[in-house]
Amino acid sequence: MFSTYPGQVVVDHPVKVPIEHRFDPYVDNGGTLLSIAGEDFCVVAADTRLSEGYSINSRYVPKSVKLSDKTVISMGGCYADCLTLTKKIQQSMEWYHHAHGKTMSTAAVAQMLSIMLYQKRFFPFYSWCILGGLDEEGKGAVYTYDPVGSYERESCRCAGSASSLIQPFLDNQIGFKNQASQKKTLSLDQVLRITKDSFTSATERDIYTGDYLELFVITSKGVEVQKMDLKKD
Amino acid sequence: MTSRLQQTKGGFNFDNHVRNTMMEGKGMGIPKATKTGTTIVGLIYKDGLVLGADTRATAGPIVADKNCEKIHYLAPNMYCCGAGTAADTEMTTALISSQLELHRLSTGRQARVVTAMTMLKQMLFKYQGQIGAALILGGVDINGPHLYTIYPHGSTDKLPYVTMGSGSLAAMSVFESRFKPDLTREEGISLVQEAIEAGIFNDLGSGSNVDIVVINSEKVEVLRNYAKPNERGVKEASYKFQRGTTEVLKTSIRDLVDIKETVNIHTSEAMDIS
């Protein structure tokens, strides 16, 4: 016989016990994204790997979507939620265009996204959003969000699985933190080099980042898309 | 006054089962087993066997080591691939390797693979799966080549081709498609390389390079980094910091030891050479 502890009840027949079934709708599909605002340009970059647990669902699933000639949105987290949220934004932008006869500005989209996210405060979209684009003055703008809509305009931000690896590097190279050098404006070429190196380095150390890198470069001329290979292991 | 003699109980003590169910009832579950982020394989070919492993060590979602060694030396004629908790595979194989050497000296003979397998499984069973070591043991002895899998709880299988770790399904799909008995050395190495690469590219817990060890009755070839399909490209820019990037705010130098030098000048005396 087992030795008993105080309060234990020992029975010799099967017992009915309530089993709690829980609805667990969220899944983390991994991936990393970043956005850097320049003087007259904005870069939005994201890897294209879609993972689940230790498996790869797809090597090429773009995380960034062009919303207009001036705005690009990038989302990481639960891909299902990201897809629906993107669709909602695009549909709202189309209604706006019909109602007002013009494309929504980056700042307007930024606020709308915050409202949309907070509307599902009690069953959130599990998506980490970064909105990149040009503001009404033509300067680069980056807006970062949390899953329930808190947002802020910043000069550079990364989100996703390797964000804690890349953000300190960006703070040092773009924000010139923790070093004595003078702040200088970075050219588009320098920003692209920093972005590519951020992703190759993140791919080395984060298992969820890799496969391909898609770069959206937003300038006054429009949106240009570049694709680059990353390590596939 | 007589007192009843407390008879010593034999067999296993299941008191911890009672404790565990009580803990679960209070909401504290059993600690989750850490995933084995690895692909390790072994196969027997015409003249011996080939062992293979990837070289990625993970700590959760982060790559801790991009080029670690997962094929451990056990004896001159035996090597062991390890998946699971890195410390456990290291220590277990080192311990049994040491025991095998003493065994060799005591018996005066080359150790048999089944001896190593028995030592490993008896130790792992004793610890009831708490030692997270999933091993592929391969070696050639007087009875020919032998390949075993050893699971953390102590069970073993003897097979002509095996895979273990989180990438085992990817690797096994390659083996099940292309393995046949009596492969040549080149075919065996090529198949092992393909199986490990399947794990490297399709499993997130495995990555980097392919390590291979070929054992036959005459020699052992350790082919460390046999394939390197994931070399890092050249960086876009150099991030070397110039002198002065870290500002020196204050400099203070303090002598720790007071050095007083006194020089004695005295008339030199001639050397005594008598």
Side-chain angles (χ1 to χ4, degrees):
Chain A
M1 264 326 273
F2 308 135
S3 60
T4 55
Y5 64 89
Q8 185 196 26
V9 177
V10 181
V11 292
D12 58 356
H13 56 268
V15 188
K16 258 196 241 184
V17 166
I19 300 170
E20 191 190 345
H21 295 279
R22 294 183 67 228
F23 176 46
D24 195 12
Y26 294 119
V27 150
D28 187 1
N29 295 118
T32 308
L33 28 133
L34 75 74
S35 186
I36 300 170
E39 188 60 44
D40 58 351
F41 62 87
C42 182
V43 172
V44 176
D47 76 323
T48 62
R49 175 178 281 177
L50 201 83
S51 41
E52 203 168 324
Y54 273 116
S55 306
I56 298 176
N57 283 352
S58 172
R59 293 199 193 272
Y60 183 71
V61 167
K63 287 192 194 45
S64 316
V65 172
K66 175 182 157 182
L67 297 174
S68 73
D69 279 332
K70 283 192 292 186
T71 324
V72 171
I73 188 150
S74 195
M75 293 187 210
C78 174
Y79 187 61
D81 280 352
C82 298
L83 271 181
T84 302
L85 185 57
T86 308
K87 220 183 276 189
K88 274 180 67 126
I89 297 171
Q90 287 174 313
Q91 287 173 351
S92 294
M93 285 177 77
E94 206 179 321
W95 277 113
Y96 181 98
H97 194 276
H98 290 315
H100 299 87
K102 61 174 179 172
T103 322
M104 274 182 91
S105 66
T106 307
V109 177
Q111 192 185 5
M112 183 182 75
L113 175 54
S114 167
I115 305 291
M116 263 184 200
L117 288 167
Y118 199 78
Q119 281 176 334
K120 273 175 68 68
R121 172 65 178 81
F122 300 110
F123 182 12
F125 285 108
Y126 183 49
S127 55
W128 301 92
C129 305
I130 301 184
L131 183 76
L134 298 175
D135 65 10
E136 291 301 277
E137 291 166 14
K139 293 203 179 111
V142 168
Y143 291 91
T144 46
Y145 297 81
D146 76 350
V148 283
S150 158
Y151 81 115
E152 186 186 13
R153 183 172 173 178
E154 292 183 296
S155 58
C156 83
R157 170 63 63 182
C158 61
S161 51
S163 60
S164 49
L165 279 71
I166 302 175
Q167 190 64 48
F169 176 64
L170 255 40
D171 288 342
N172 176 254
Q173 293 293 316
I174 310 275
F176 302 101
K177 301 274 167 61
N178 301 116
Q179 58 178 60
S181 72
Q182 285 109 326
K183 289 190 207 291
K184 53 183 193 282
T185 44
L186 292 162
S187 69
L188 173 60
D189 181 69
Q190 284 173 299
V191 166
L192 285 174
R193 283 181 197 279
I194 289 170
T195 305
K196 288 174 188 173
D197 282 343
S198 301
F199 272 93
T200 48
S201 304
T203 304
E204 293 279 311
R205 291 289 177 177
D206 179 36
I207 61 178
Y208 297 120
T209 305
D211 294 332
Y212 301 99
L213 171 64
E214 229 177 23
L215 291 143
F216 283 68
V217 182
I218 310 152
T219 53
S220 52
K221 295 197 194 80
V223 177
E224 187 207 313
V225 185
Q226 291 176 25
K227 191 170 144 188
M228 198 186 103
D229 271 19
L230 292 174
K231 273 167 67 166
K232 292 167 178 53
D233 67 346
Chain B
M1 199 149 82
T2 55
S3 58
R4 214 156 6 139
L5 213 72
Q6 188 77 321
Q7 254 205 320
T8 47
K9 295 182 200 163
F12 290 110
N13 183 345
F14 288 102
D15 281 346
N16 276 342
H17 167 78
V18 172
R19 177 206 71 180
N20 289 344
T21 38
M22 183 186 79
M23 280 175 79
E24 269 195 84
K26 290 203 174 143
M28 299 187 299
I30 312 163
K32 239 192 278 192
T34 37
K35 269 264 190 174
T36 57
T38 290
T39 307
I40 49 173
V41 306
L43 66 67
I44 293 190
Y45 74 100
K46 195 154 52 98
D47 307 319
L49 54 89
V50 185
L51 296 173
D54 76 305
T55 62
R56 175 183 280 184
T58 51
I62 300 292
V63 177
D65 191 342
K66 293 187 271 188
N67 201 191
C68 71
E69 282 193 58
K70 299 188 189 180
I71 309 184
H72 310 284
Y73 167 88
L74 269 186
N77 60 329
M78 282 186 246
Y79 275 75
C80 190
C81 304
T85 309
D88 287 343
T89 57
E90 261 321 313
M91 288 302 188
T92 304
T93 47
L95 181 68
I96 266 68
S97 170
S98 165
Q99 285 180 4
L100 276 172
E101 195 176 340
L102 292 169
H103 188 268
R104 253 200 316 285
L105 291 165
S106 164
T107 59
R109 293 169 170 78
Q110 185 197 58
R112 298 185 193 197
V113 188
V114 74
T115 310
M117 182 213 79
T118 307
M119 286 179 180
L120 285 163
K121 73 157 15 163
Q122 285 179 351
M123 181 190 154
L124 292 174
F125 182 74
K126 184 171 74 179
Y127 284 95
Q128 287 293 295
Q130 298 299 319
I131 295 185
L135 310 166
I136 291 182
L137 168 66
V140 177
D141 61 22
I142 195 76
N143 294 123
H146 304 279
L147 191 59
Y148 294 94
T149 47
I150 304 163
Y151 290 85
H153 283 264
S155 63
T156 56
D157 293 305
K158 187 179 197 304
L159 295 160
Y161 57 96
V162 292
T163 65
M164 296 278 261
S166 59
S168 62
L169 273 69
M172 189 50 98
S173 64
V174 172
F175 275 179
E176 289 292 14
S177 308
R178 281 174 241 167
F179 178 85
K180 53 187 204 292
D182 295 322
L183 291 163
T184 64
R185 177 183 173 279
E186 284 65 40
E187 286 174 332
I189 291 176
S190 162
L191 189 56
V192 162
Q193 184 190 353
E194 280 175 44
I196 297 291
E197 284 181 356
I200 285 174
F201 290 111
N202 300 110
D203 173 44
L204 295 176
S206 314
S208 297
N209 314 123
V210 182
D211 280 354
I212 288 187
V213 168
V214 185
I215 310 178
N216 60 30
S217 51
E218 280 138 45
K219 65 180 193 298
V220 171
E221 289 166 277
V222 176
L223 306 167
R224 167 82 169 140
N225 287 359
Y226 178 77
K228 295 177 93 166
N230 289 298
E231 303 239 45
R232 204 220 213 267
V234 179
K235 281 192 219 165
E236 295 279 330
S238 164
Y239 299 96
K240 192 166 176 189
F241 291 109
Q242 289 171 345
R243 275 189 180 278
T245 302
T246 300
E247 259 187 272
V248 178
L249 298 174
K250 193 173 86 165
T251 310
S252 87
I253 300 168
R254 195 164 63 93
D255 285 332
L256 289 172
V257 176
D258 248 335
I259 302 171
K260 273 201 209 117
E261 245 187 75
T262 49
V263 180
N264 291 326
I265 306 167
H266 51 88
T267 50
S268 56
E269 287 165 344
M271 203 164 45
D272 186 356
I273 47 170
S274 56

